[in-house]
Amino acid sequence: GKYSLRTPTVDPDPLTWPIVAEGAKLGFCLMDFGSCSYYYGHCRDSLDGILTSDAPNYGLGGGLYSCGLTNQGISAGWTDIYHYYLDGMQIPIPPSVCNGDYMLVVNIDPYDYFLEENEDNNVQAVPVTLTHQAGFSTFDISVSDGHTLLCPGASTELSVPFSAESYTWSNGLTGPSITISEPGTYTVTVTSATCGTVTSAELIISYAEVSQPVTEGDSVCASGSMTLTAESPDGPVNWYDAPIFGTLLATGNTFVTPVLTGSTSYWAAAELHLPGTTSFAGPAEHTGVSLYSGSTFNGYLITDVQKNAILKSVKVYTDSAGLRTIEWRNASGAVLESKTVDIPIGESRVELGFSLTPGTDYQLGTQITQNLLSFGTESPRLQRSNSGVTMPYSLPGTLLIKDTNFGNALFYYFYDWEIAEPDLVCESPRQEVVAQVKLCTGLDSPLSGASVSLIPNPSSDQSMLQVTMNRVASVELRLLDLTGRTLFSESLGERHGEWQYSLNTSQLSNGIYLVELRTNGESLRERLQVSHP
């Protein structure tokens, strides 16, 4: 059963009404708790008439079903009652909810697991009046990525962290959430039947400042591969083949082009990484003197998530070292992410790295199969609290730990949640970098008509560089890897005509390298493959 406190609207379907607070109860037993005659008024017909022994098929089933493993059921004319004092039969109400009139909505079998004769009577709504709420005088606007900095050209979503009847934003937009792409100061005024009209605190959104990279192009004669460079104080540099959109070619301070026969432009953009803030949710540690649940109980926490975040780690306690598989599941129990960890005896922090996305009734628990393999029990043999628990535990605007599968008076296994906002990643405007192919036909070009070859190629020990130059020039020899990093360089002085240079490749790892001759700002390159047997 899912229980919710809602604000009614003109829509006749209670499940469409705005949710103020929620709770849930997993029913694990169906039994003949008592007869319709004994619990007078609990059994009713379709016209709301009270049934007792005149219920259709009264007595069919015998009235003797109990909460046993092999003897569960419900007889005609009997009822099973989940009283208010049972674990899980509560709705945690946030203190920001105001006094007023609401509707209590009960939704049984919300995921349609059971085949029923009548599927139309699973939702009931009754009026409830709250008189002891603190309410609020102001509130903070939630930002979808948690950052008040905005990447140039990007957008983010602002939202109100609760339901109301109307929302008016300072930029004139309406609705519970808006998308913005401009910096500025934002507020929102909300109006509800119970809280009246309240205006949020100011939220200042600014542009993130990303410096354009300092770039340097390269050139070759006739054809060849070139090394382009870009430096940025903000972070890594991304290389693209177009000024907008295009393909990401590489990341790093250098980019080695393919062999080009004509001048080609590339574009470099600096990348700025701003880490998201880290906060903690839930009880910081175990409370009470009762440590462990029974061996047949495998509890899990039930959580609502309001915005994207990372569950980095949790704190656990145990007296039994061993493997546990921790699972992050959706409301129907499907596993979204999991991690198998070896937990030592005592208190420890478990690194998880689970991605959280907005939604309701997520489950954080352990896998029974792994528990049985490790300990021979369904229980993970992790400490849980059964006193000092004050559900719900809220990280405002991010998540709400609100219940467990055995009621909100318990807290199962995972303490002191470490929650990180997503990192903000911004890119600078792209900077053009030119790989220039020169004709080198001028009389003053030292590399005009020059040629380079390597024998043998591939090489495992030595490779002979053979060069022909038509003019005298001062030559620098460099050996580069494919990232453009210089591995070796030597000034060879003035050279001309046909000459050779023996290159030792015995200490190089297998791979592709560039052998480069540079003179007067021009270069010739030849690829060298090193292949050791």
Side-chain angles (χ1 to χ4, degrees):
K2 295 182 69 173
Y3 316 127
S4 55
L5 193 68
R6 299 176 183 246
T7 304
T9 67
V10 294
D11 193 318
D13 182 4
L15 297 182
T16 67
W17 298 344
I19 296 173
V20 176
E22 289 184 291
K25 172 68 175 181
L26 179 64
F28 59 91
C29 178
L30 183 65
M31 62 181 291
D32 290 327
F33 188 77
S35 69
C36 295
S37 298
Y38 185 84
Y39 288 101
Y40 184 81
H42 279 266
C43 304
R44 296 175 181 264
D45 60 21
S46 59
L47 300 177
D48 206 33
I50 296 175
L51 297 173
T52 56
S53 59
D54 57 342
N57 297 316
Y58 184 83
L60 181 62
L64 297 176
Y65 287 115
S66 67
C67 195
L69 295 177
T70 60
N71 182 33
Q72 292 197 28
I74 191 76
S75 300
W78 264 254
T79 181
D80 189 1
I81 304 172
Y82 275 77
H83 285 285
Y84 71 89
Y85 49 77
L86 295 176
D87 288 337
M89 301 299 291
Q90 302 92 23
I91 298 176
I93 303 174
S96 61
V97 174
C98 296
N99 291 332
D101 296 326
Y102 300 89
M103 296 295 285
L104 171 63
V105 179
V106 178
N107 184 13
I108 302 302
D109 190 24
Y111 305 114
D112 198 26
Y113 288 154
F114 296 94
L115 179 65
E116 305 174 62
E117 286 186 344
N118 182 5
E119 297 279 1
D120 299 327
N121 60 358
N122 287 352
V123 179
Q124 299 291 328
V126 296
V128 171
T129 299
L130 300 183
T131 60
H132 292 75
Q133 289 300 113
F136 58 86
S137 57
T138 188
F139 61 94
D140 292 324
I141 297 172
S142 295
V143 187
S144 59
D145 60 8
H147 291 274
T148 57
L149 292 177
L150 188 66
C151 296
S155 62
T156 191
E157 184 180 83
L158 310 182
S159 61
V160 176
F162 55 87
S163 297
E165 276 70 56
S166 68
Y167 314 80
T168 303
W169 294 83
S170 53
N171 60 357
L173 297 178
T174 60
S177 63
I178 62 171
T179 299
I180 63 165
S181 56
E182 296 292 336
T185 300
Y186 294 88
T187 61
V188 58
T189 299
V190 300
T191 300
S192 72
T194 55
C195 294
T197 299
V198 181
T199 300
S200 70
E202 289 186 345
L203 175 67
I204 300 175
I205 300 292
S206 306
Y207 271 139
E209 296 183 2
V210 191
S211 303
Q212 278 192 309
V214 177
T215 62
E216 183 179 354
D218 198 2
S219 64
V220 295
C221 287
S223 67
S225 174
M226 285 165 272
T227 300
L228 312 180
T229 63
E231 298 286 343
S232 168
D234 294 323
V237 175
N238 295 327
W239 295 87
Y240 296 91
D241 60 0
I244 57 173
F245 304 115
T247 301
L248 176 63
L249 302 175
T251 297
N253 291 333
T254 59
F255 171 61
V256 178
T257 73
V259 174
L260 301 174
T261 57
S263 296
T264 304
S265 289
Y266 297 91
W267 285 265
E271 194 172 81
L272 174 67
H273 281 257
L274 297 175
T277 57
T278 297
S279 306
F280 292 87
E285 57 189 13
H286 176 271
T287 57
V289 295
S290 176
L291 303 181
Y292 299 97
S293 57
S295 61
T296 60
F297 294 90
N298 184 30
Y300 57 79
L301 298 171
I302 300 173
T303 305
D304 292 344
V305 177
Q306 285 89 41
K307 67 180 179 182
N308 293 333
I310 303 295
L311 176 54
K312 294 181 65 177
S313 68
V314 292
K315 187 190 296 182
V316 295
Y317 304 83
T318 185
D319 62 359
S320 302
L323 294 176
R324 281 92 167 170
T325 297
I326 300 175
E327 296 178 332
W328 179 251
R329 305 183 287 253
N330 65 14
S332 60
V335 177
L336 303 175
E337 293 193 59
S338 67
K339 187 172 184 179
T340 300
V341 292
D342 193 359
I343 299 178
I345 292 175
E347 174 188 316
S348 61
R349 183 163 285 278
V350 177
E351 300 295 328
L352 295 177
F354 292 165
S355 297
L356 312 185
T357 56
T360 59
D361 298 336
Y362 288 108
Q363 303 171 10
L364 182 67
T366 62
Q367 183 193 86
I368 290 178
T369 301
Q370 184 61 59
N371 295 342
L372 290 169
L373 288 173
S374 296
F375 311 106
T377 63
E378 293 187 15
S379 167
R381 196 62 186 176
L382 295 172
Q383 288 185 15
R384 60 94 178 96
S385 297
N386 72 346
S387 63
V389 178
T390 56
M391 293 278 193
Y393 295 95
S394 175
L395 183 57
T398 301
L399 60 82
L400 184 74
I401 307 171
K402 64 182 184 180
D403 206 352
T404 80
N405 54 324
F406 294 116
N408 58 21
L410 299 162
F411 194 90
Y412 282 98
Y413 314 138
F414 307 113
Y415 300 86
D416 202 32
W417 291 27
E418 183 185 11
I419 304 294
E421 305 277 3
D423 290 350
L424 181 68
V425 181
C426 296
E427 245 188 17
S428 72
R430 297 180 188 179
Q431 187 82 0
E432 185 179 16
V433 190
V434 178
Q436 185 178 12
V437 177
K438 297 181 178 180
L439 294 178
C440 299
T441 59
L443 296 178
D444 60 345
S445 174
L447 295 181
S448 175
S451 64
V452 176
S453 62
L454 288 161
I455 300 173
N457 191 6
S459 168
S460 63
D461 187 32
Q462 296 281 335
S463 184
M464 186 64 67
L465 175 66
Q466 297 183 333
V467 183
T468 300
M469 295 174 56
N470 294 331
R471 294 178 59 85
V472 177
S474 181
V475 176
E476 179 188 6
L477 173 70
R478 294 200 300 175
L479 180 68
L480 313 174
D481 63 17
L482 286 184
T483 69
R485 182 166 58 101
T486 300
L487 305 177
F488 168 79
S489 67
E490 183 180 353
S491 178
L492 303 181
E494 290 189 343
R495 299 291 180 106
H496 74 283
E498 295 183 0
W499 55 273
Q500 297 179 335
Y501 182 91
S502 179
L503 192 64
N504 185 356
T505 60
S506 61
Q507 301 302 312
L508 297 176
S509 300
N510 289 345
I512 303 296
Y513 299 86
L514 298 174
V515 178
E516 178 185 71
L517 295 180
R518 293 188 65 86
T519 179
N520 289 1
E522 298 175 357
S523 64
L524 282 176
R525 287 184 182 156
E526 185 73 11
R527 290 195 175 217
L528 171 65
Q529 180 177 348
V530 175
S531 180
H532 300 294

